[in-house]
Amino acid sequence: PRSAPQTPRYCLSFTAAGLRPELAAVIAGVHLEVEGDWALTRAAVLERNALQARSAKSSKVLETELRQRLQCLTAPQLQLLAQGTSDERSAMAWLAVLKRIQIAADLTRQVLVSKLSSQDPLLRRSDMAAFYEDCERDHPELAALAPSSQHKVRSALLQMLRDAGLLAGKAG
């Protein structure tokens, strides 16, 4: 007898870097300069402190998280990220998030799309609570997080929605 396929674990490292379209654009620009070589991109970004991080460790963490997202984009998407308008950069950064961070894609698909289709423009605490409850059923790694880490994941997701222009209003 076969066991039911397990749902892949959520990648939760995204809390190390918000949407950060301006920094994603810097990495995309360097990537274009080095003709599409991700290893050279990483080295150049870190060597130049292109992300203007306060410490080498912060720079590495930011670069790693953002680069992993950007590696999910196509060459034309990376070019638009590097050379586009502020709105285009935000859209490409959000697309990279959706391609890399499954919990963000699930939130978009399960909550935001249904809200748009029902013409309900308000994202309520109850919507988010129901979403997280559903996620914890399929992703026990979320339930196993300390309350402070759960809060950080939730806050980071909401902040990325705000930064992408998909959510208005203050945190809390």
Side-chain angles (χ1 to χ4, degrees):
R2 280 191 200 158
S3 60
Q6 280 194 323
T7 305
R9 292 175 55 93
Y10 276 149
C11 167
L12 301 174
S13 63
F14 69 91
T15 60
L19 189 64
R20 308 304 290 267
E22 68 290 347
L23 296 182
V26 168
I27 295 173
V30 171
H31 187 66
L32 294 175
E33 284 175 26
V34 298
E35 300 178 3
D37 183 315
W38 284 110
L40 289 177
T41 301
R42 174 180 172 74
V45 166
L46 294 176
E47 183 180 299
R48 299 175 194 171
N49 191 21
L51 304 179
Q52 298 294 299
R54 287 184 249 180
S55 70
K57 183 178 180 186
S58 295
S59 187
K60 284 180 186 178
V61 168
L62 257 178
E63 185 281 332
T64 298
E65 180 58 33
L66 293 172
R67 179 179 35 81
Q68 287 175 344
R69 295 177 196 174
L70 299 188
Q71 288 174 316
C72 298
L73 297 178
T74 65
Q77 291 166 343
L78 285 166
Q79 188 164 11
L80 185 58
L81 175 60
Q83 300 168 348
T85 65
S86 176
D87 286 345
E88 290 167 337
R89 286 192 308 268
S90 291
M92 289 302 100
W94 180 245
L95 179 60
V97 163
L98 292 177
K99 287 182 167 192
R100 165 96 173 118
I101 303 168
Q102 190 59 49
I103 191 171
D106 290 347
L107 173 64
T108 301
R109 189 173 26 266
Q110 295 170 22
V111 180
L112 301 183
V113 170
S114 70
K115 291 219 144 280
L116 286 174
S117 64
S118 65
Q119 298 182 348
D120 178 3
L122 296 177
L123 184 62
R124 295 170 183 79
R125 286 182 191 271
S126 59
D127 298 325
M128 294 304 292
F131 170 72
Y132 292 125
E133 191 175 299
D134 288 346
C135 286
E136 286 176 0
R137 247 181 259 121
D138 292 332
H139 295 274
E141 67 272 20
L142 287 175
L145 292 173
S148 61
S149 295
Q150 288 178 358
H151 179 74
K152 187 172 183 180
V153 165
R154 293 171 185 200
S155 294
L157 275 173
L158 289 173
Q159 188 59 51
M160 283 195 289
L161 287 171
R162 281 186 202 88
D163 293 345
L166 299 171
L167 183 63
K170 294 182 185 178

